[in-house]
Amino acid sequence: MMKLFVALFVVAITVVAGQQASLEIQPRSRPIRKEVGDNLVLTCRPSVPKPDLISNLEWQDKNGRRIENVHRNSPVYIQNLPGEKGIMLVFTGLTEQQAGIYNCHASYANTEQLSASVEVSTFVDVQFVDAPENQFPVVGTNYKVKCKVKGEPYPIIDWYKGDTLLEENSKKYIRQIDGLQISNVTEADDGTYKCSAVVPSTGVYKTRNIKVEVQVPPFILPMKEIQVVEGDSASAKCTATGKPPPTYQWIKLDRRNDLSKTDRFDVKKLTGELIMNRVEYGDDGMYKCVAENTAGHVETEVRINVLVKPQIYELLNATSPVANETRLLCKTKGRPPPKVTFRKLSNRQAYIEGPQLDDNRIRLEQETFDDAGETFGTLTISNLNRSDDGLYECIAENSVGKAYKNGHITVWFKPTFNRTRDLPPVYSWDGRPGNLSCLPEAIPNATIVWRWNEIEIGEENFRNGRVSRNNFEVIGRSPQSFLIVKPYNQPSYYTHYECIASNGLGQASIKIQLRQGLAPGMIGQVRANTVTATTIKFSLVPPSNYDNLPIRTYTVQYKPERQPSWDNSVSHTWSNGAPYIVENLIPEVTYHFRFVARNDVGIGTWTNGPTITMPRRSVPAEPRILLPSSINLTDKQELPGPYSDHFEIRWNVPADNGEPIEFYLIRYCKIERNGNEDRDIDCSENIQQSIKYTNYPLDRLMPNTLYKVELRAHNAIGDSTPATIRFRTARGIGPVPLDSNPQMSSAMIIGIVVASVIIILIVVDLTCFLVNRTGLIAMCCERTKRKKKDEEDPKLGSEEKEPLNQPVEKSISVEFDGRQVYTKSGEIIGKHSAV
Ligand SMILES: *[C@@H]1O[C@H](CO)[C@@H](O)[C@H](O)[C@H]1NC(C)=O
Ligand SMILES: *[C@@H]1O[C@H](CO)[C@@H](O)[C@H](O)[C@H]1NC(C)=O
Ligand SMILES: *[C@@H]1O[C@H](CO)[C@@H](O)[C@H](O)[C@H]1NC(C)=O
Ligand SMILES: *[C@@H]1O[C@H](CO)[C@@H](O)[C@H](O)[C@H]1NC(C)=O
Ligand SMILES: *[C@@H]1O[C@H](CO)[C@@H](O)[C@H](O)[C@H]1NC(C)=O
Ligand SMILES: *[C@@H]1O[C@H](CO)[C@@H](O)[C@H](O)[C@H]1NC(C)=O
Ligand SMILES: *[C@@H]1O[C@H](CO)[C@@H](O)[C@H](O)[C@H]1NC(C)=O
Ligand SMILES: *[C@@H]1O[C@H](CO)[C@@H](O)[C@H](O)[C@H]1NC(C)=O
């Protein structure tokens, strides 16, 4: 009964004081929303009239357990308010688990239980947890563009590429919780992607731009085998595609070393080039190129072949006797192994493999050793001939070069005198020794022995007295020998001597005669061939049965009949074979002639020649027209003229027959040919040409026309018979001007001036000579006169006179004297001298 009363009392008081006794939690907002990780302080204060009556003030967690922790470094702890009644609940770094309803309890005046509660709710803000701004997928793979978002409540995620919203789900793009999966990435997937997160309940909207760069793993373009040449520099290039551009590495497979670390090699990391300096034989082999970028790594192998220029390392000379067999072996190396051939140095063509088509004695073979890179070429010549002797060139060739080397084939043969079979006799006279020479052909060199009457001329027979040391001397034994014989006029030494040459292969001999040199005998026959008023041309027949030293000269002596003795006679000497012409004779005088021949021994016996009375003075002899040496003309034939509009005739000065020639007369006609008959038309006047000239240019001729020219020499007595020539001008288009460039060059002008000055000087000198007997010519004349008082004017036979101003024609020309044509060489024709 009492208890009920007390209860009613408390209720009455509570109701009375109801307005005052409570607990108040701050902050006041309900619920309290806080982001995960934030700090939070909940403060609970009593709101009572007498705070001193408050006791047991406490916080309870969401499970109704009292929170007792007071350590400041705990995630949650309590703390009393300083200075007043109240208790704080401190969260350091809220977690989601800590969300819930928290109660604050207290007792008031020991009777009243006070309580208040507050709800703490947490949330998580939108955050890009794993969404790098640059991402690099590899082409061909499936790639997830990462965009991991955190948020509570969880946001709605959308994807954009550029500004385009990507479809919810397509084959290409699949949204996943932590990113956007791109299947089968291609380079087209490059771009800026946007990952956007929206939380409608909170209105949060966040975006993240992600730059996607597709990477392509390297791909090495196919490489072929590489050929490099030993000793040269070379480079190999490895090219790879890829994004980003790959870097390169070169590795030699057998040594597994990175070539950028070796000294002869240089690797361009960025371009893939491999530079090989001074390539070595051992660089041959397999190499690996490695290309690498962030997307991948590939490698490929390539073969580098080191080619080696051919080299001939052995070629020995060969020696073999004639008719035997020999071979030249040419050892070569190179990579690829060279092809070997030979060439005789005197031939242009190299030998073909196998037997030669034109000479099957010669065979070329080659043997190749691939492993060693060697080729042996063999040139075999069977049944050797002397003509095979000589230098042979071995030629080794492969794709990178050629090499050459010479080898010699020596062909031995026994001595032979085949080239010097009929040796002329050797002469000895006046105590001169005979010099007998013996030179056999032989390889190897022959040694020589001389025999006289079957007795060997040598030391042994000198000693035993069979041959006399006084009479013989042998100079040299090999390869040439001279036998000097001193006969001292003993006939037994004028005989045949035998030269015997021998070498290992055989011997050969030759006989050489030593004869006594004698002066020539009488001249066989003398005839006067051509007689003019002042000249005679003789023909001489050598002494009969003449068989001795060659005749060097013939000499003639002549005197007028009335002169009794030969003592003061005039003589003239010709070399053997010259035209035997005497000139400057006096007309109508009778002369005696005698002749003698001379050889190296001396002169022979004089032979009397004919007695000749010179004819009277008469008209000159017929001039002889000169023709080009290459042309033979019969009487009626025509000479082809070299030009269509001009022609030059040239002639030899004829004999004047006692009266000086005054001038030449030239007349030319066109000839009309009527069947076999020729008719002269359009004849010119007789043209005079000064005796200073022995030529005359005809010009303004018609092309392709037959002309006849008559040439006469004139002296006080009259005209000679005419020399005639027919020529036909060349075909042509009218007269061609001789000098197409009339402007004279300065050199020509200077030449003309110099020539004029010289001519003037000569004329002045000539005048001085004629008038006063002074001047250069006078001096020269004086000197020659004094020296050769008895000599005649060293003039050539007048018939043989060279054209004065045609020195070019001197060497060989064909002369035409109207009857016959013969060649004449410009040798010394004759010389007057006293005997
Ligand atoms: C990926 O794309 C390339 C080029 O578009 C295509 O050739 C290939 O077949 C695709 N691969 C797959 C697995 O789809
Ligand atoms: C070649 O010469 C050798 C020795 O020099 C000899 O033995 C051989 O018989 C000769 N052969 C011929 C074909 O003459
Ligand atoms: C052999 O040599 C001679 C001269 O030494 C020559 O005339 C002849 O033609 C040569 N024979 C061959 C087959 O070469
Ligand atoms: C081979 O002969 C040539 C010419 O006769 C000579 O120059 C050369 O030195 C010789 N070679 C050898 C290896 O004897
Ligand atoms: C020399 O000539 C004769 C015949 O003319 C010949 O038989 C001989 O073989 C020749 N000798 C040499 C070494 O050539
Ligand atoms: C013999 O003649 C040769 C040339 O033909 C010459 O070299 C040599 O000196 C001469 N000997 C004598 C002793 O006259
Ligand atoms: C042969 O004679 C020549 C000329 O004298 C000489 O040059 C050569 O060396 C000689 N050969 C030999 C093998 O003696
Ligand atoms: C010219 O004739 C001579 C003798 O009749 C003859 O020996 C010569 O070969 C000939 N010359 C020409 C070029 O016909």
Side-chain angles (χ1 to χ4, degrees), residues 361 385-387:
R361 300 177 305 122
N385 193 342
R386 277 181 58 188
S387 59

Side-chain angles (χ1 to χ4, degrees), residues 435 475 482 484:
N435 182 350
I475 301 172
F482 297 102
I484 311 296

